[in-house]
Amino acid sequence: AQTVTQSQPEMSVQEAETVTLSCTYDTSENNYYLFWYKQPPSRQMILVIRQEAYKQQNATENRFSVNFQKAAKSFSLKISDSQLGDTAMYFCAFMTFNTGTASKLTFGTGTRLQVTL
Amino acid sequence: DADVTQTPRNRITKTGKRIMLECSQTKGHDRMYWYRQDPGLGLRLIYYSFDVKDINKGEISDGYSVSRQAQAKFSLSLESAIPNQTALYFCATSDYRRSSDTQYFGPGTRLTVL
């Protein structure tokens, strides 16, 4: 079974600064995807970024980037130039790559990020 | 309009009542999912459906049932609601062919069982 661990329950960052959220996972699979989802106070789950395990290059989406270390099973999220709208709960998630069955997401317990003035 | 919609958005009910939560999508995805979110536990999978004729149990299916009425509709039922089913419920959709099975979530339904 896969497990996802987010060891930082809460973090705080000042506006315009950079923050890194940590995530580690455990799996015996070789082909998989990793995700970061954002859940603002509106409670909507919003996809932030996705990383395919077979790609060595770290994914980036505007101010969001990841540091994917496959051997260490680590997948951290870096938010640059933090904005007040980044205040949210952030979930790391793991998905095995199954062509024959619906792929299932395993979520971490989340990190609550507060962006302050 | 939102691609994945859930109704109702909020519901308060009493122990023993039957409740149905509905999910509709306009993304054209074939796969649909129901998750439950509890504080401190992240999201956990209740049921998922590969297509209209395929229904599968997730990790916490006891006390729940589902119906896939059409490709675009996936309903979750609580036959006899109990207080520990109070939670935030999410529907999600995905399509392996077009987006490598990345899951997109609806806005959630907050259910309270008294």
Side-chain angles (χ1 to χ4, degrees):
Chain A
Q2 283 71 230
T3 59
V4 178
T5 302
Q6 294 179 251
S7 59
Q8 305 153 315
E10 295 185 357
M11 294 190 72
S12 181
V13 64
Q14 287 191 319
E15 196 177 24
E17 297 296 309
T18 295
V19 64
T20 299
L21 309 184
S22 301
C23 173
T24 59
Y25 58 94
D26 188 25
T27 185
S28 58
E29 302 285 341
N30 193 47
N31 292 323
Y32 51 88
Y33 291 102
L34 293 161
F35 304 86
W36 280 97
Y37 283 89
K38 167 185 176 181
Q39 187 177 36
S42 65
R43 80 192 187 201
Q44 176 83 43
M45 290 290 288
I46 301 166
L47 178 66
V48 175
I49 201 164
R50 182 183 79 182
Q51 174 79 42
E52 292 90 340
Y54 64 88
K55 290 187 177 179
Q56 293 186 343
Q57 186 174 7
N58 289 323
T60 62
E61 286 289 344
N62 301 314
R63 296 182 296 107
F64 299 88
S65 62
V66 298
N67 183 5
F68 173 48
Q69 302 288 330
K70 190 172 183 180
K73 297 180 181 175
S74 171
F75 182 61
S76 60
L77 175 70
K78 185 172 80 170
I79 306 174
S80 303
D81 186 25
S82 296
Q83 301 175 0
L84 294 177
D86 295 333
T87 293
M89 194 77 163
Y90 287 81
F91 291 95
C92 178
F94 171 99
M95 185 178 78
T96 52
F97 184 75
N98 291 312
T99 58
T101 62
S103 303
K104 293 176 282 186
L105 277 171
T106 300
F107 285 85
T109 52
T111 295
R112 186 174 303 280
L113 177 67
Q114 180 73 46
V115 181
T116 60
L117 292 171
Chain B
D1 289 339
D3 294 324
V4 185
T5 58
Q6 293 183 233
T7 56
R9 294 295 311 279
N10 295 280
R11 180 72 183 269
I12 300 173
T13 190
K14 294 182 179 179
T15 296
K17 294 292 187 181
R18 185 178 188 275
I19 295 296
M20 179 180 285
L21 308 183
E22 298 185 339
C23 177
S24 295
Q25 53 115 347
T26 59
K27 298 180 79 67
H29 289 175
D30 54 353
R31 300 175 177 185
M32 299 187 73
Y33 310 77
W34 276 104
Y35 289 89
R36 166 180 173 158
Q37 184 180 27
D38 296 281
L41 292 179
L43 278 75
R44 293 180 292 167
L45 183 64
I46 305 173
Y47 271 95
Y48 63 99
S49 172
F50 189 48
D51 61 28
V52 175
K53 298 180 181 179
D54 177 81
I55 300 290
N56 302 279
K57 292 183 177 180
E59 59 181 306
I60 53 164
S61 59
D62 287 348
Y64 301 95
S65 63
V66 291
S67 174
R68 185 83 182 265
Q69 301 95 323
Q71 185 191 32
K73 296 184 181 297
F74 192 36
S75 300
L76 176 72
S77 294
L78 289 68
E79 296 301 325
S80 180
I82 56 177
N84 76 0
Q85 290 178 315
T86 293
L88 186 56
Y89 290 85
F90 284 100
C91 174
T93 73
S94 72
D95 188 320
Y96 166 71
R97 291 180 300 271
R98 284 184 281 172
S99 59
S100 299
D101 237 5
T102 297
Q103 293 184 25
Y104 296 91
F105 287 80
T109 294
R110 183 169 297 284
L111 176 66
T112 302
V113 183
L114 301 176

